[in-house]
Structure formats: C-alpha cells, structure tokens
Amino acid sequence: MSAGRKPVIAVVGAGKCSKKLRDMASEVGKLIAASGAILVCGGMGGIMEGAAKGAKEAGGTTIGILPSDSRDDANKYIDFAIPTGFGEARNIMVVRAADVVIAFPGSFGTLSEMAFALDAKRPVISVNAWRLGEEIIPAETPEQAAALALKLAAKPKDED
Amino acid sequence: MSAGRKPVIAVVGAGKCSKKLRDMASEVGKLIAASGAILVCGGMGGIMEGAAKGAKEAGGTTIGILPSDSRDDANKYIDFAIPTGFGEARNIMVVRAADVVIAFPGSFGTLSEMAFALDAKRPVISVNAWRLGEEIIPAETPEQAAALALKLAAKPKDED
Amino acid sequence: MSAGRKPVIAVVGAGKCSKKLRDMASEVGKLIAASGAILVCGGMGGIMEGAAKGAKEAGGTTIGILPSDSRDDANKYIDFAIPTGFGEARNIMVVRAADVVIAFPGSFGTLSEMAFALDAKRPVISVNAWRLGEEIIPAETPEQAAALALKLAAKPKDED
Amino acid sequence: MSAGRKPVIAVVGAGKCSKKLRDMASEVGKLIAASGAILVCGGMGGIMEGAAKGAKEAGGTTIGILPSDSRDDANKYIDFAIPTGFGEARNIMVVRAADVVIAFPGSFGTLSEMAFALDAKRPVISVNAWRLGEEIIPAETPEQAAALALKLAAKPKDED
C-alpha cells in the first residue's frame, strides 16, 4: 500500500440474510468507517448492503464491485460502483481490492471469496462464516472483527 | 444511474505519451472534477496519470481499475485502486464504470476500450484518438471534450 | 506454440449476418480444417456458426469460447464449448487462443476482438471487416483469407 | 448438454504434488478417457499434468484453461490450450466447462474451484481434498472417483 493510502477492508457474506446478521454487518461497517478505513464489498444486498449502510452512517466511503454490467444494480449505500459484467468472477476482485477481508455467513460465493483472499495472502476474519482451518481468524462480535481488521490492515505488508 | 449518484467519466489513452498530451489529459481531468464528476481510468501512466493528476488538483475523486493484482501499481493520483489481475481485460470494466468515455491517442488497448464503450452504448468522445466512424464524437480541445462529456453524462439514459 | 501442436485459427465476426457472409465464413472454416488447423471462435451464431459448420464438414475440430456460463448456448458445430460467464470479455480469450485471426464484418464486439488481437500481436486478416490501418491484412475471398492465415500460423513466432 | 456432446469432467488440485498423488490423478484421467469423456483442467503441472497424461495414454482428449496468456505454458499432455490471461480467475472457467468436478488435494486455488463448482451446481467429488460439508461426494480411490464422475456426468441435468 502506498504511503498515504487509507486502509481498505472488504466485507463479504450472503446476499440475503437475517436482520440480525445484517445489523452485525452494519456495525462492522460503522466501526471501520469511523476509523477512517474504506469499505469494499460486492455491492449487492444482505451482508453487503448492511456493511455499506453502516459505513455510510459513520460518514465513510463505500466501493461496490458488481457482478452485473449496470451501476444501477448497486445497493443505495454504495458511493462508487464498479459494474464488471464478470458475474461471480468479480469475487476475486472484491478481495484483491482489500487489505483484509471480514467474512460473514454465506454460501459458496462467500466461500470462493475466502479462498481467493487466502490465495492472495489477505488475512481473513470469520464472523461465524466458513471455518477452513487455522489461517482463518475467528471473531465473535462486530467489535472484535472490526478491531482485528483495522489492526491487520495497518500492519506493513510484504506483498510480492 | 441512481438519483443522487455523481456522473462518472472515463479517460482512456496511451500509458506512455508526450508531455503535451499528458497536459491535455490533465486539463480534462481538472475540468470534469471541477464540475463534480468522478474520474475513472486504467490507473496507470501517461494519459491515465495526466487525467488523474488534473482531477486531484481540482479536488476531485479518482478511481483506477488496474490490470495487475496489486494496488501499489496505481499512479499516485488514484484515490481508489481496484487491482483486478485480469490484464487487458480490465479495459472493459473501465468503460462500463463510466457514463461517458473520453479517448486520447493510444494503441490497440485504447482501441479496445473505444470498441467496448460503443458496444456498451457509452458515448465516446475522441480527442485525436481512433476515428472509427460516425458514432465517435470528435473534440479538438480539452475544454470541448470535457464540456461534451459533462453534457452527455447529465443526460438521462435508457440503459437496458 | 509447442512442437506438435496444430495451428489454431480464430474466425470472428457478427453474431447475425447475411447468408452470403455466413457461406463465406463456412468456406474459410472448411479450408482451414482441411489443412489440419483447429478453428476457435466465440461459439455463437452468424459468422461463428458459419465457420464452425464449414470446419466440421471438412472433418475438423472446433472450439467455442462462450460469453454465457452454459455449454448449451454453443452452436451445434462446436466440439468443445468453454462457457466463460464473462460476457463480452470473453472476446479477449478467443483471440489469445489463436495463432492468427480472420475477421469478417461485425459490430463493436468484432472491433474489440481485432483490437485485442493486434494488442496480443496476433496477425489479423480482414475480409471486409474494420480497416484499422496497415497492421490489418486485407483479403477479398475465403480462399485468400484461409491461405494467408495458414501461412502466417505456420510461421515461427517470437512471443514474449 | 446438447444431445451428442460427450461428457466433460474437470480434475482440479495442486500444481505441485507428490508422485503418488500425480499417479492417482493419472489413473483418474485414464479411466475417464477410456469411457469416452473429455478431460478439462487448469493445464499446468502437478495434479493437472497427471490427469492429462493419463487421459492421453488412454487415447482421450484434454483441454487446459490456462491462467497465463500463452499457450506455451500448457503441460505437454494438453490437446487444446485456452490461454486466458485472467490469472486465478480462470479457475471459475475450468469448473464451468465441466459436468462434474473431481478434486484432489490442493491449496486455496483448489478450494476456490470447489466453491465455484458448488456455486454453479456441478457435483464435486473429493479424493482427500477439502471436505466442505455434505455437498461434497467423498471418494477414496481413482477408480471410485472416476466411476462416480462418469455416472453423474451421464445423468440428465436441469441447468437453469
């Protein structure tokens, strides 16, 4: 990350979810935005919308990398929508755009994002999402997840 | 485009270019940022860097959609870097992210962006770039190009 | 190209076209298949279907790289369908899969394929398609196009 | 799948692996080719090369969908190399090209392929690969894996 660039944190998870999970994602979005980090997500509903809503409520900035080729498909909390037209292959871009990934429960799309994040050496924090082994950092609450993510995003990286 | 969203204008062109062309791209970036539009580009050097520099000097916002998978490859005037890892296929995303495309001289990569923009029904303004036929809107100066782009971006679209 | 690999020739052009153009594409497909080259195309209708039909009639092999994510969308002359789900971005893969590209008339999708082919240093033979400058090799007839393509595909390349 | 099309089976797994695993992948490749199915894989080394080698030894056909943009990067047992230039995002194409996926041990790239396969409703057979839950069909031996894959590939699908 260039000096002067803000940390970017991805929040991934189901496109449809319970109100409880959506609120948890919102809380994460709020906390990372309040600390000056940028939120990146898939730009659609459920966890993605919850996280973006929280980030906007805290005055943050949100980026949505969409599967479709139309900006109109982004949820209303997305500041900058990138309509890829690449379908689920956009998942790989969501995690590459971030320093750290926070994963909420989701199906196989979420699993692919966690896999690509680990492949790209992005730390993955799981809030009750897929537990894939010791590389995944567990968190129980939005507060824990956000604190861990901000700490890891601030850490100097040795990207190749 | 959702109500409330700012217009997004793409500037495309060679990754290496003369100082004169770079300054022209800078002037375009400045004018579109001064009017409140967001600049999207390929995030690299030459025309892309010129346009982003101009936009930042006018206090605007810049998005760079990168061919590589590392944010560090963005030029220093990019606020939000999207490292795709998709190589030249990221060209299609640059133009899809925009309402209007302004093309400066460039090689076949620039030509592919103009082709994809026309395919996606984005108006293409050419500042001495490839002249492909009557769909391309010619402009002679940065002022003309920016004014045309802002006008076209403000126009209601009927996207399918 | 590894020793022992057969030459691969891409035929690109409109997904809908006149019977005359379709027959010309068929003739090209037939000639390249008869010479032992493999046909690659976008797998859909029009020029792509014509070329694939011709290649199959001559006992050749056909590969279709599809925009959709379903093999069922390939035309019936495709032996090996690669359903990408990447939409028009699959154009870049069609030309990368080939040693030489033969372009028939088509719209901006075809133009993007010609642009990507030139960017990837694949020779482009145009049968009344977009004339983009001196890099494009003109051909008037299917026979001319096929002969030129086979000759160029046989030439040793210095790919980087 | 269109009537008359041969079944296509993907074999995924580590790009570097033990001789034992490579031989097991080879055995799978041999068995599916002997039954008339086409092998698709990522075209590189390790499990992919093992499977392709086996398929060729049984007189089968092999397709390799490569991360790089050069056909020359395919292993020598690949009949048809598709050089995507899309990096790891090509994983999604490998599984979409197949009716059934057989997964051998591998790292996060393999995990992403299993995730995308499940997302795309392709049955996934795991030979000691990631065990992700009940959707994954376990197999202990190459014989078991090949038999299961051929049976599932022959089953009529209701793709959406």
Side-chain angles (χ1 to χ4, degrees), chain C residues 1 71-72 84 96-97 99, chain D residues 1 71-72 84 96-97 99:
Chain C
M1 199 176 56
R71 273 209 327 266
D72 294 343
T84 65
R96 279 181 175 158
D99 296 303
Chain D
M1 198 174 58
R71 269 203 336 260
D72 294 342
T84 66
R96 278 181 175 158
D99 297 303

Side-chain angles (χ1 to χ4, degrees), chain A residues 1-2 5-6 8 38 61 63 65 69-72 74-75 78 80 82-86 89 92-93 96-99 122 159, chain B residues 1-2 5-6 8 38 61 63 65 69-72 74-75 78 80 82-86 89 92-93 96-99 122 159:
Chain A
M1 200 176 56
S2 299
R5 291 248 175 86
K6 292 181 181 179
V8 179
I38 293 162
T61 299
I63 299 173
I65 302 180
D69 58 7
S70 169
R71 270 207 332 263
D72 294 344
N75 71 58
I78 297 298
F80 304 112
I82 311 292
T84 65
F86 282 48
I92 197 168
M93 288 183 264
R96 278 180 175 159
D99 297 302
R122 264 61 164 177
E159 294 192 327
Chain B
M1 198 174 61
S2 300
R5 292 249 174 86
K6 293 182 180 178
V8 180
I38 293 162
T61 299
I63 299 173
I65 303 182
D69 59 7
S70 169
R71 273 210 325 268
D72 294 342
N75 71 58
I78 297 297
F80 305 112
I82 311 290
T84 66
F86 283 48
I92 196 168
M93 288 185 264
R96 278 182 175 157
D99 296 303
R122 264 59 165 180
E159 295 191 329

Side-chain angles (χ1 to χ4, degrees), chain A residues 24 104 125-128 131 137-145 148:
Chain A
M24 286 175 75
F104 277 87
I125 297 161
S126 168
V127 188
N128 303 315
R131 294 271 166 100
I137 304 161
E140 297 302 324
T141 63
E143 289 74 20
Q144 265 190 359
L148 277 164

Side-chain angles (χ1 to χ4, degrees), chain B residues 87-106:
Chain B
E88 292 305 307
R90 71 78 152 84
N91 292 0
I92 196 168
M93 288 185 264
V94 171
V95 300
R96 278 182 175 157
D99 296 303
V100 178
V101 176
I102 300 175
F104 278 87

